Amino acid sequence: MNVRVFVPIDAAALSVGAERVAVAIAREAVARGVAIDLVRNGSRGLFWLEPLVEVETPAGRIAYGPVTPGDVAGLFDAGFLGGGAHALALGPTEEIDYLKRQERLTFARCGIVDPLSLDDYRAHGGWKGLETALTLTGAEIVEQVTQAGLRGRGGAGFPTGIKWRTVLNAPADQKYVVCNADEGDSGTFADRMLMEGDPYSLIEGMAIAAIAVGATRGFVYIRSEYPHAFKTFSAAIDRATAAGLIGASVMGTGPAFHLEARLGAGAYICGEETSLLESLEGKRGLVRFKPPLPAIEGLFGKPTVVNNLVSLATVPVIFEKGWQAYRDFGMGRSRGTLPIQLAGNVKRGGLIERAFGITLRELIEDYGQGTASGRPFRAVQVGGPLGAYFPESLLDTPLDYEAFAAVKGMVGHGGVVVFDDQVDLAEQARFAMEFCAEESCGKCTPCRIGSTRGAEVIEQIIAGESVAKNLVLLDDLCTLMLDGSLCALGGLTPYPVLSALTHFPDDFDRSAAAPPARAAE
């Protein structure tokens, strides 16, 4: 039997040479007359070790990394196909501390299976959740998702079961399930990793959602910056359809469910659900007024479930393991696990799936091992470019929707971006306003004009012009944007600005840089 060697095909691994490593391993095996099965798996999410090469041995999978093409010959010489000792040897993959201390439910298969192998997916528990769901009524499925406590992982944290129940009870001749995979937040990559490493989990979750609410068509809206994910996920849809798992009948016994992948055009605003629906309909991505909610009048005016990718990919776990088992993870009203994406100025960035309740300090200091620069930590932004900046004094805040709201932050999609003591938070505040101005759909005045004026006011503060007066003006402008914006883009842009003002006021004190008084000119 050939030895199985795993080399990730994940975009992050490819960016640091995984394809060259895979080619080098294949060539070296041929040159030495050794028969191997080269499996292109997803990433385990230990990005500082990529390309991470694994070898399947009788004792389990042994990891080596980070591997370069120049290391390959030496690995063969050291007998790595049998788990031999080498400077790059990391021991059993599952025993790597970064991975061992995680609680992987949604990402349980990512980095383990061949992403497009239906047999591999089934061998690792795939389709069990869907098989269970097919034995239940739509109302029973919705009730179990509700009892599990699953909330939207895209940022809003809205209870998934309540959204599904609304669509289930909405009378219509056509209903849709739409997956929001327009992962545009800074420091986030969980959606991409799942589409590239475990795409069938999303297909299974969407099929369960469709059965629950009576939908027969589904769409996955993928951001244009994810060509590898789009290619892999499209291939997964084709294979699942050809195998009869979806399509004319779910698993041959259920209702029809036809699924398509659509590629966005690069607009951040299309991460907002109603703009996404407009784009899917072939229109410009503009925010819709609410009501009506998409659950009542969504895609093409029909009742539509719109959920984040991680939310949908988590659904199979609930039906495979039972809603009680899923609900056992987490704290308060934040149940289950959260795939946290640790990025920025940090030594060990990557994906960490843990139950809600883990603190920022544990993430940054224990998993991340501090800043990559070696300089002192100063700030962390959680929740993407519209998330708040937290100082060291808030690092013991647990990742929990309500705990973050209490300190005027948001969990968002689980992106955590670290900064050292060289960061200028006034500049970061300006970036937030500039980002909003650039990405605004332009439909509402507070967002369209407010962000432009906000960037100008912060520019004046940075230049030392009328600092006290401009700080008052900036505070008023943020209040207007919070209260008057049509969607979360304008409504959340004040979060990073106000948090920077609150926790890092010295960065806005530009008195020393003030220009000479007018009378002296």
Side-chain angles (χ1 to χ4, degrees):
M1 186 175 179
N2 295 349
V3 176
R4 299 180 85 200
V5 180
F6 299 81
V7 181
I9 200 168
D10 177 270
L14 293 177
S15 72
V16 290
E19 189 63 34
R20 296 191 299 275
V21 170
V23 170
I25 289 174
R27 287 177 176 170
E28 194 69 23
V30 170
R32 295 177 183 239
V34 179
I36 65 170
D37 289 330
L38 189 59
V39 180
R40 305 305 303 277
N41 58 322
S43 174
R44 298 271 196 162
L46 285 63
F47 286 163
W48 80 98
L49 294 176
E50 294 289 9
L52 181 71
V53 175
E54 297 179 67
V55 180
E56 193 170 77
T57 74
R61 279 160 66 160
I62 306 298
Y64 298 83
V67 177
T68 68
D71 297 320
V72 171
L75 286 170
F76 274 88
D77 290 339
F80 91 113
L81 293 180
H86 187 275
L88 298 177
L90 300 166
T93 313
E94 303 291 344
E95 293 300 314
I96 297 174
D97 189 57
Y98 194 94
L99 192 59
K100 185 179 181 180
R101 293 189 291 121
Q102 296 190 33
E103 296 160 306
R104 291 206 165 185
L105 298 179
T106 307
F107 277 77
R109 282 177 294 264
C110 202
I112 294 176
V113 299
D114 177 341
L116 292 176
S117 170
L118 287 166
D119 290 339
D120 219 1
Y121 183 70
R122 185 177 288 279
H124 288 84
W127 309 119
K128 288 183 179 178
L130 180 55
E131 288 170 351
T132 298
L134 283 168
T135 68
L136 305 172
T137 66
E140 289 171 336
I141 294 172
V142 170
E143 180 61 20
Q144 290 196 24
V145 171
T146 304
Q147 290 297 328
L150 179 65
R151 295 169 68 173
R153 297 293 189 257
F158 189 80
T160 303
I162 293 177
K163 184 180 289 188
W164 287 19
R165 181 175 290 114
T166 305
V167 178
L168 170 64
N169 293 332
D173 59 348
Q174 176 68 60
K175 298 179 182 180
Y176 298 97
V177 176
V178 172
C179 171
N180 184 347
D182 192 62
E183 184 178 51
D185 284 352
S186 50
T188 58
F189 41 81
D191 291 2
R192 178 192 60 72
M193 279 183 62
L194 269 177
M195 285 187 286
E196 294 181 7
D198 188 21
Y200 295 122
S201 64
L202 174 58
I203 294 174
E204 184 177 2
M206 293 186 71
I208 294 172
I211 295 167
V213 304
T216 57
R217 296 197 66 190
F219 296 90
V220 180
Y221 189 92
I222 303 172
R223 69 184 305 219
S224 62
E225 294 87 347
Y226 285 173
H228 297 288
F230 183 77
K231 179 181 178 181
T232 300
F233 191 75
S234 297
I237 291 175
D238 291 343
R239 294 192 184 194
T241 303
L245 295 161
I246 57 172
S249 173
V250 175
M251 302 192 88
T253 61
F257 180 57
H258 301 277
L259 185 59
E260 299 179 42
R262 296 289 180 85
L263 200 61
Y268 181 80
I269 193 62
C270 286
E272 193 278 332
E273 62 179 6
T274 63
S275 292
L276 184 154
L277 294 176
E278 289 285 293
S279 181
L280 273 177
E281 292 177 4
K283 304 170 187 174
R284 178 184 171 192
L286 291 175
V287 175
R288 295 178 181 177
F289 290 103
K290 298 177 186 177
L293 297 170
I296 304 297
E297 293 182 26
L299 188 63
F300 302 116
K302 302 295 184 180
T304 305
V305 168
V306 185
N307 280 136
N308 168 260
L309 185 151
V310 172
S311 304
L312 289 164
T314 299
V315 168
V317 178
I318 293 172
F319 291 90
E320 177 192 351
K321 299 183 181 298
W323 65 264
Q324 299 95 334
Y326 184 79
R327 190 179 177 85
D328 283 344
F329 292 87
M331 62 177 287
R333 291 172 51 207
S334 301
R335 312 312 306 177
T337 60
L338 177 69
I340 302 151
Q341 298 117 96
L342 186 59
N345 192 336
V346 65
K347 285 181 182 177
R348 295 185 171 184
L351 184 120
I352 302 153
E353 185 175 357
R354 284 285 302 270
F356 282 97
I358 184 175
T359 66
L360 291 171
R361 188 179 305 279
E362 186 176 353
L363 286 169
I364 296 167
E365 296 180 1
D366 294 353
Y367 283 93
Q369 296 288 296
T371 64
S373 64
R375 297 184 64 88
F377 164 88
R378 183 150 194 250
V380 59
Q381 186 177 36
V382 184
L386 308 182
Y389 290 99
F390 286 177
E392 195 276 338
S393 62
L394 289 179
L395 287 188
D396 293 313
T397 304
L399 264 87
D400 165 83
Y401 291 111
E402 282 66 45
F404 264 61
V407 290
K408 301 187 184 304
M410 64 176 186
V411 173
H413 188 45
V416 176
V417 180
V418 179
F419 299 85
D420 70 10
D421 63 346
Q422 293 185 308
V423 67
D424 185 327
L425 272 301
E427 293 285 357
Q428 292 299 119
R430 176 174 62 179
F431 167 76
M433 286 293 189
E434 290 176 341
F435 180 85
C436 181
E438 178 70 24
E439 297 295 343
S440 174
C441 76
K443 192 165 185 175
C444 74
T445 302
C447 176
R448 182 184 71 251
I449 304 300
S451 55
T452 300
R453 296 289 86 85
E456 293 172 354
V457 170
I458 297 175
E459 182 70 41
Q460 292 173 14
I461 292 171
I462 290 173
E465 300 175 11
S466 305
V467 174
K469 178 182 176 181
N470 276 318
L471 285 173
V472 173
L473 178 60
L474 181 60
D475 187 70
D476 288 346
L477 186 59
C478 285
T479 300
L480 173 66
M481 292 179 70
L482 279 167
D483 295 340
S485 296
L486 184 58
C487 82
L489 177 56
L492 293 178
T493 293
Y495 270 58
V497 178
L498 292 174
S499 64
L501 282 165
T502 299
H503 301 302
F504 307 95
D506 291 350
D507 289 18
F508 295 85
D509 181 6
R510 303 287 170 161
S511 57
R518 295 287 182 183
E521 292 181 354

